[in-house]
Amino acid sequence: MTLVRAARAQLALELADDLDPQLRDLCTHELDALADSLAPWGRFSTPVRVESVARMSDLARAASAPVDGLLCAVAELTRVVLLAPPAWHAAPTVAELRVTLTHELAHTLLFQRCHPPGRTAPVALPTWFREGMAVHAAEGPPPAAVLRRLPSIAQLDALADADATLVGAAAQPCYDLAHLLFDRWHRDFGDRRLAALCRAMRVGHAFEDAFVQACGQRTRDWRDAAIRALRG
């Protein structure tokens, strides 16, 4: 195992001995760029192990939920598993690999910020918040094209709280809506409320209770208002 550390975000990656060479090169040569993208969203509390698998079936076994056609990696509290680039449907560019790894590390960062010490079960975060934060960290604010890609308005409520099966069936719309909703949430509440929400979850509150404490309103009330704003 090789340990590499960045100057920002307290990012430390433990590179598995059998990590795909292209991914190893990315982790070592793009480490500071990864940390720069993640630093605005907090600091890691523990190193993250980076592993790769050679087949999609291996990645599916590493995932805790059904996978979708866009999936090339999965994230846990202290581990990220990526599909080796030769197994992707199309050969990824360095930029695509960087976005994918940043997205998964953003998941891990949020998990670590919300996870109560000593707890073994993963924290439960709604799809729009979990995926929206990761897409925002990896790709920045949503461009106008994201709103134009959304499906019919009637589906938005279901997509916001999509379970693993729905994400698998409608991955891109789920990610697009999550991106838009989290961007709106962050503009409404900012970093201080994000920190407050994470602190509340870290002492054992469920997301809904933490949201009320941090934001002063129920999750559904805010989400429904945000969806109405998207509808125009």
Side-chain angles (χ1 to χ4, degrees), residues 37 41 103 131-142 179 182-183 186:
S37 296
W41 305 102
H103 182 112
E131 294 300 336
M133 182 270 188
V135 176
H136 204 298
E139 303 178 28
H179 198 180
F182 183 84
D183 179 69
H186 190 251

Side-chain angles (χ1 to χ4, degrees), residues 1-229:
M1 181 192 72
T2 302
L3 179 66
V4 294
R5 295 183 181 273
R8 302 188 68 194
Q10 293 184 195
L11 176 61
L13 302 180
E14 298 175 343
L15 309 184
D17 291 337
D18 59 350
L19 183 65
D20 174 85
Q22 191 172 354
L23 293 172
R24 180 179 295 275
D25 186 69
L26 175 72
C27 290
T28 53
H29 292 94
E30 301 283 338
L31 183 65
D32 288 336
L34 294 169
D36 288 344
S37 296
L38 295 164
W41 305 102
R43 295 180 296 178
F44 290 85
S45 58
T46 191
V48 182
R49 181 174 175 85
V50 182
E51 304 174 7
S52 61
V53 293
R55 294 177 295 275
M56 179 62 77
S57 58
D58 296 326
L59 187 65
R61 279 192 290 272
S64 58
V67 301
D68 61 73
L70 298 179
L71 185 72
C72 292
V74 295
E76 298 174 346
L77 182 65
T78 60
R79 183 177 73 141
V80 168
V81 183
L82 301 107
L83 187 65
W88 286 39
H89 295 303
T93 65
V94 172
E96 289 170 333
L97 288 176
R98 186 191 306 115
V99 166
T100 298
L101 181 54
T102 304
H103 182 112
E104 299 307 322
L105 288 172
H107 281 317
T108 295
L109 174 59
L110 185 60
F111 296 159
Q112 290 189 8
R113 292 191 69 184
C114 294
H115 196 81
R119 176 174 167 173
T120 56
V123 295
L125 300 166
T127 297
W128 71 265
F129 194 86
R130 181 188 70 246
E131 294 300 336
M133 182 270 188
V135 176
H136 204 298
E139 303 178 28
V146 172
L147 182 58
R148 293 196 297 269
R149 286 200 303 259
L150 283 183
S152 66
I153 296 303
Q155 298 181 41
L156 295 187
D157 291 339
L159 291 174
D161 292 323
D163 60 14
T165 300
L166 182 54
V167 173
Q172 192 62 64
C174 287
Y175 294 149
D176 284 345
L177 180 59
H179 198 180
L180 290 163
L181 288 177
F182 183 84
D183 179 69
R184 174 64 178 263
W185 183 87
H186 190 251
R187 286 188 283 112
D188 283 354
F189 296 107
D191 294 333
R192 292 182 64 184
R193 300 292 179 89
L194 175 60
L197 188 152
C198 292
R199 283 197 302 271
M201 293 195 70
R202 202 162 56 245
V203 297
H205 291 283
F207 180 86
E208 176 61 32
D209 291 340
F211 191 98
V212 171
Q213 288 188 35
C215 306
Q217 56 186 294
R218 296 188 310 164
T219 307
R220 181 172 291 276
D221 292 341
W222 178 87
R223 192 207 68 185
D224 289 349
I227 288 178
R228 286 195 299 271

